[in-house]
Amino acid sequence: MEKGTLVEFRLQGDQPEKGRPRRLAVVDRLEGKKHLIVVDERGQSHTLHPRQITYTIAREAYQSKEISGFWQSIQPYLDPSSLEVAWELLVEDGEAVEPATMAMLLFSDTSPSLCYAAYYLLSEDKLYFKQKGDRYEPRPVAQVNELKHQATIEAQRVQEWQGFLSRLQQALTGESIEWQVSDRPRLEALERFALLGEEATHRTPALETLSALGKPETAQAAFQLLVDLRLWSPHENLFLRRSQIPTQFAQRVLEMAHSRIASPPPDPDRDRLDLTQLKVYTIDDESTREIDDGVSVEFLPDGRHRLWVHIADPTRWVMPGDDLDLEARRRSTTVYLPTGMIPMFPSELATGPMSLNQGQVCTALSFGVILDEMGAIEEYEIHPSLIKPTYRLTYEDVDEMLELQVEAEPEIEAISIWAKRRNAWRQSQGAISIRMPESSIKVRDDEITIDVLDDSLSRNLVAEMMILTGEVAGRYGEEHHLPLPFRGQPQPELPPEEELMQLPAGPVRYCAIRRCMPRSEVSLTPARHASLGLNTYTQVTSPIRRYADLLAHFQIKAHLRGAPLPFSPEEAQELIQSVSNTAYESTLVERQTNRYWGLEYLRRHADVVWQVLMLRWLREHENLGLVLIEDLGLEMAMRFNRSVEVGDRLEIKVSYVDPRQDIIQFTEVTGSMAQTA
């Protein structure tokens, strides 16, 4: 190759990327038999093998200082759109062309510089022509159309990506932005990655987003980004998000709820027992909105008392197999979290006509019971009924009434007396009472409150009446061979009495008993419930909040009116299994969420000295025990660095806590070393 020849070349490692600046140089001399020494526009020399020469500009000799001018001279001709016209002329014949032919076609000139311009356009083009040796062949029409379509999609993707990044930056600076539909998949990928980390599917969009923002490609960084974008709360409930628990109702379910409220369906129980003359008390926490039980007492002419427990009757508004019923099955239970509840039924229905609201005539399933002097069931009856709740009371209200012995409300005193007798009777039947402190954690406007629920007369009254109702429902189901969700509990193997008596009375002893208690079981077969001291029992007192209770209502009410049972034994068994599994998941989420907020409360009160009670050893050889923070009703693991005994009381402070990672460490105030858990 002659000295002064202008060539285009590539260096080792160069990639033929679209839009990459071309390398031009002038041949200076031969180097050996094959290699050339060339000089580029900056005067830098390069040793090239002939294979590195990609194009030769045929003209008289050039000098390296002319390269810049050469570039400038061809710039007006480097319009990629001009190739489309040439392609339209050539595609029909499908004839391949050389750069010189293309130069004539495009520019009506075959000068060396314009031939190079034609070559440049062809080699840059990825749409209309494909290279075959030294020639370029027009692509078929269908292929060009497909490439144009792909290019359009890619351009749209790039535009959406740039727009997404722009909105991210705006949101991170605190601007109010409106997310686009195209943003949703990327945000959902971030959410999945924040929830599941390396186990998340389709992580790539999340990793791309984090990388583009210069953030670590970790689940923690994804979580923090969602918080910074104000899409998630710093206390986002990841337990709930990881679960299958739905938090919103489908539109069709809401529409059916509104329809049932506006136009109630025909009541299948037209001959309801009218009990509106009874004084009915509903007793709940002040925050309760789904009111599903009330109590009464009827003073009979013969001097006996008939206790009435009225249970809300959602089956008045729901039919087996309709959208409301199927949604309730899917949810299985109302989920109670410190931040609020997730209802089983739409709230307008659950807190409206389904609930036993004060002063309104309500449909109910009423259980009338006469107890003998010992507290055993002497007579019982069950009726679909009409009631009119007289008073809505809190537990505190009832405790005050019992303490003051309010003469105007002798019914409350009578029910309380029967509740005590009932409890004593169950104890005589082998009931096992475990009175561990229970805490109620509430979060409102980011303020956490923890209340220890008192083991009060009012709570015992309500509990005994609900247990009584469960025994009545169980008896009715057993006597009439109804497929109901009977709940039983195997007899526990408790420590010997003398061993228990050696433990301090109260939480320590109850904790030892609790460890021995087997889980309750649900089946279609009546079974003894050991801790309740009952030979048969089925839950029916929360049909607005538990699907198993609703199932029992469907079956019992159908039998009472002589109608076919809605669910066969096989269907009932399948439903029980399904809702039990879902309810267990909900219980797990409730526990995890309460644990999180309990740790967050302790984090915010790290300077408080807490008195704790050593309940039992978890791993004695590791000095790991379970302690009860008595003022909060919270049980925590704690590692000791000194000898302690079960039942000891200690004073501790939080030394480290990370609620998100479920880690807490304590320091004993009187000790010199940290105790960890």
Side-chain angles (χ1 to χ4, degrees):
M1 192 173 291
E2 297 294 330
K3 180 176 180 176
T5 303
L6 183 61
V7 296
E8 180 190 271
F9 68 98
R10 65 172 179 268
L11 294 176
Q12 189 172 0
D14 282 356
Q15 297 296 322
E17 298 171 357
K18 186 175 180 180
R20 178 185 179 86
R22 303 302 179 104
R23 297 182 185 272
L24 293 179
V26 175
V27 176
D28 183 56
R29 66 185 184 277
L30 281 171
E31 177 78 10
K33 292 182 179 181
K34 293 184 179 180
H35 289 81
L36 297 170
I37 303 296
V38 299
V39 181
D40 63 21
E41 61 184 297
R42 294 176 296 176
Q44 184 175 351
S45 297
H46 303 275
T47 302
L48 304 178
H49 188 279
R51 286 194 302 268
Q52 293 176 268
I53 306 293
T54 51
Y55 190 82
T56 302
I57 292 92
R59 202 201 77 171
E60 65 276 6
Y62 286 88
Q63 294 183 16
S64 59
K65 62 183 179 181
E66 297 179 81
I67 295 175
S68 178
F70 177 85
W71 271 119
Q72 296 300 321
S73 70
I74 66 171
Q75 292 306 309
Y77 301 97
L78 302 183
D79 179 7
S81 64
S82 63
L83 280 181
E84 183 174 8
V85 177
W87 171 78
E88 290 174 350
L89 294 172
L90 297 170
V91 68
E92 190 171 340
D93 294 333
E95 184 180 349
V97 296
E98 296 176 339
T101 307
M102 182 59 71
M104 178 58 72
L105 193 60
L106 293 177
F107 315 125
S108 302
D109 191 339
T110 56
S111 64
S113 60
L114 293 183
C115 285
Y116 178 72
Y119 158 77
Y120 185 103
L121 289 171
L122 287 167
S123 59
E124 286 284 303
D125 176 57
K126 298 294 184 288
L127 181 58
Y128 297 107
F129 294 89
K130 58 183 176 182
Q131 187 173 4
K132 285 203 168 182
D134 293 334
R135 300 169 68 84
Y136 295 85
E137 184 179 276
R139 297 180 189 273
V141 173
Q143 191 176 19
V144 169
N145 288 339
E146 176 60 24
L147 289 171
K148 284 183 175 180
H149 176 65
Q150 292 176 5
T152 300
I153 292 175
E154 176 61 16
Q156 181 181 351
R157 190 194 72 80
V158 171
Q159 183 180 12
E160 289 175 351
W161 170 244
Q162 295 299 329
F164 176 61
L165 289 179
S166 175
R167 285 185 287 278
L168 283 177
Q169 297 290 0
Q170 288 176 289
L172 290 173
T173 59
E175 290 185 43
S176 178
I177 56 103
E178 184 175 342
W179 297 104
Q180 303 299 304
V181 174
S182 59
D183 299 334
R184 195 61 241 167
R186 294 186 175 93
L187 295 174
E188 288 174 352
L190 271 176
E191 291 175 350
R192 282 194 303 273
F193 188 48
L195 284 170
L196 304 174
E198 294 303 314
E199 296 180 10
T201 57
H202 308 298
R203 298 194 306 273
T204 302
L207 299 178
E208 288 176 347
T209 300
L210 292 168
S211 176
L213 295 173
K215 297 182 180 297
E217 295 178 12
T218 64
Q220 292 83 355
F223 177 91
Q224 190 56 50
L225 176 57
L226 290 163
V227 172
D228 293 341
L229 293 171
R230 300 186 300 283
L231 295 174
W232 278 9
S233 157
H235 302 290
E236 193 71 22
N237 193 331
L238 301 189
F239 314 112
L240 179 60
R241 283 187 169 273
R242 290 187 189 113
S243 75
Q244 301 300 310
I245 299 170
T247 57
Q248 302 293 329
F249 286 97
Q251 189 59 35
R252 69 179 186 283
V253 177
L254 295 174
E255 288 173 357
M256 178 169 281
H258 295 150
S259 172
R260 294 285 164 86
I261 295 171
S263 303
D267 188 351
D269 301 289
R270 297 180 180 176
D271 299 324
R272 290 181 178 270
L273 181 64
D274 189 343
L275 296 176
T276 53
Q277 79 284 358
L278 290 178
K279 190 182 289 185
V280 177
Y281 305 91
T282 64
I283 307 170
D284 285 288
D285 288 310
E286 189 174 357
S287 61
T288 301
R289 292 295 173 263
E290 296 176 344
I291 305 172
D292 49 16
D293 58 79
V295 292
S296 303
V297 63
E298 184 181 3
F299 300 112
L300 302 176
D302 61 5
R304 295 188 300 170
H305 296 169
R306 179 181 286 117
L307 296 168
W308 286 99
V309 181
H310 313 284
I311 306 301
D313 185 10
T315 63
R316 164 70 182 87
W317 309 92
V318 180
M319 291 174 279
D322 69 14
D323 283 338
L324 288 168
D325 176 52
L326 295 177
E327 181 68 12
R329 291 184 201 179
R330 185 164 78 101
R331 293 170 177 256
S332 300
T333 182
T334 291
V335 183
Y336 292 94
L337 304 175
T339 49
M341 70 173 189
I342 304 171
M344 188 172 79
F345 287 112
S347 293
E348 303 93 322
L349 201 55
T351 63
M354 282 185 178
S355 283
L356 305 183
N357 290 311
Q358 178 179 326
Q360 299 178 15
V361 175
C362 306
T363 55
L365 186 61
S366 295
F367 295 74
V369 189
I370 296 176
L371 300 175
D372 64 20
E373 287 301 312
M374 299 301 294
I377 296 173
E378 191 173 275
E379 299 176 19
Y380 76 82
E381 56 192 276
I382 308 174
H383 302 279
S385 64
L386 293 173
I387 65 169
K388 189 175 183 180
T390 316
Y391 298 114
R392 179 182 175 179
L393 303 173
T394 65
Y395 291 107
E396 292 75 17
D397 293 334
V398 175
D399 284 331
E400 187 175 347
M401 292 166 70
L402 290 171
E403 184 179 343
L404 297 177
Q405 297 181 334
V406 178
E407 293 183 5
E409 305 297 336
E411 293 88 351
I412 286 289
E413 179 68 25
I415 297 170
S416 180
I417 291 171
W418 283 113
K420 292 174 185 175
R421 286 187 190 174
R422 178 72 183 163
N423 181 268
W425 177 81
R426 288 196 305 106
Q427 298 298 323
S428 73
Q429 302 301 304
I432 302 169
S433 295
I434 300 176
R435 293 190 170 90
M436 293 295 290
E438 289 185 49
S439 59
S440 172
I441 305 178
K442 301 290 184 187
V443 180
R444 295 289 182 272
D445 299 324
D446 199 46
E447 182 180 346
I448 311 169
T449 57
I450 301 182
D451 295 316
V452 180
L453 303 180
D454 296 326
D455 186 20
S456 65
L457 289 174
S458 62
R459 291 186 184 274
N460 290 331
L461 179 157
V462 172
E464 286 300 332
M465 292 301 102
M466 298 306 109
I467 294 169
L468 172 61
T469 306
E471 184 186 7
V472 170
R475 280 198 184 188
Y476 185 85
E478 184 174 14
E479 290 169 8
H480 298 285
H481 309 289
L482 302 183
L484 298 179
F486 293 97
R487 186 172 287 274
Q489 185 184 43
Q491 194 67 30
E493 295 184 12
L494 297 178
E497 185 71 16
E498 58 271 19
E499 184 178 324
L500 284 175
M501 289 301 103
Q502 290 176 3
L503 296 173
V508 174
R509 192 178 299 170
Y510 288 134
C511 183
I513 296 172
R514 184 181 64 184
R515 287 188 66 192
C516 304
M517 298 304 294
R519 288 181 60 179
S520 61
E521 302 167 350
V522 182
S523 74
L524 298 183
T525 305
R528 175 170 171 78
H529 197 295
S531 62
L532 295 181
L534 302 177
N535 291 326
T536 183
Y537 176 72
T538 187
Q539 289 181 318
V540 291
T541 57
S542 295
I544 304 177
R545 301 185 280 185
R546 291 193 298 251
Y547 191 85
D549 298 40
L550 187 76
L551 170 62
H553 275 234
F554 275 131
Q555 302 287 76
I556 292 171
K557 284 183 60 187
H559 187 267
L560 285 171
R561 61 176 175 266
L565 297 184
F567 302 103
S568 68
E570 294 76 19
E571 291 170 330
Q573 180 61 49
E574 185 178 344
L575 268 178
I576 289 170
Q577 183 64 45
S578 172
V579 301
S580 295
N581 291 340
T582 306
Y584 177 76
E585 181 181 28
S586 299
T587 300
L588 191 60
V589 169
E590 289 176 343
R591 288 175 182 168
Q592 292 169 327
T593 307
N594 275 288
R595 165 82 176 179
Y596 173 88
W597 284 107
L599 295 186
E600 176 63 14
Y601 183 90
L602 290 170
R603 187 188 71 81
R604 298 183 187 187
H605 296 80
D607 294 333
V608 176
V609 175
W610 304 102
Q611 186 174 83
V612 299
L613 175 66
M614 170 58 172
L615 292 176
R616 67 179 179 90
W617 289 109
L618 296 173
R619 293 193 294 273
E620 188 170 3
H621 65 285
E622 296 179 14
N623 281 343
L624 186 67
L626 184 69
V627 300
L628 171 68
I629 303 177
E630 295 180 281
D631 287 344
L632 302 177
L634 297 179
E635 297 178 25
M636 296 283 166
M638 177 172 176
R639 197 180 305 278
F640 305 94
N641 69 342
R642 67 177 181 88
S643 177
V644 296
E645 300 292 335
V646 169
D648 283 355
R649 281 189 159 81
L650 307 88
E651 290 188 335
I652 65 171
K653 287 177 66 175
V654 172
S655 58
Y656 176 78
V657 61
D658 184 342
R660 188 61 68 193
Q661 299 300 318
D662 193 25
I663 298 172
I664 188 165
Q665 300 172 353
F666 296 106
T667 301
E668 187 177 357
V669 172
T670 56
S672 59
M673 297 180 66
Q675 326 294 318
T676 60

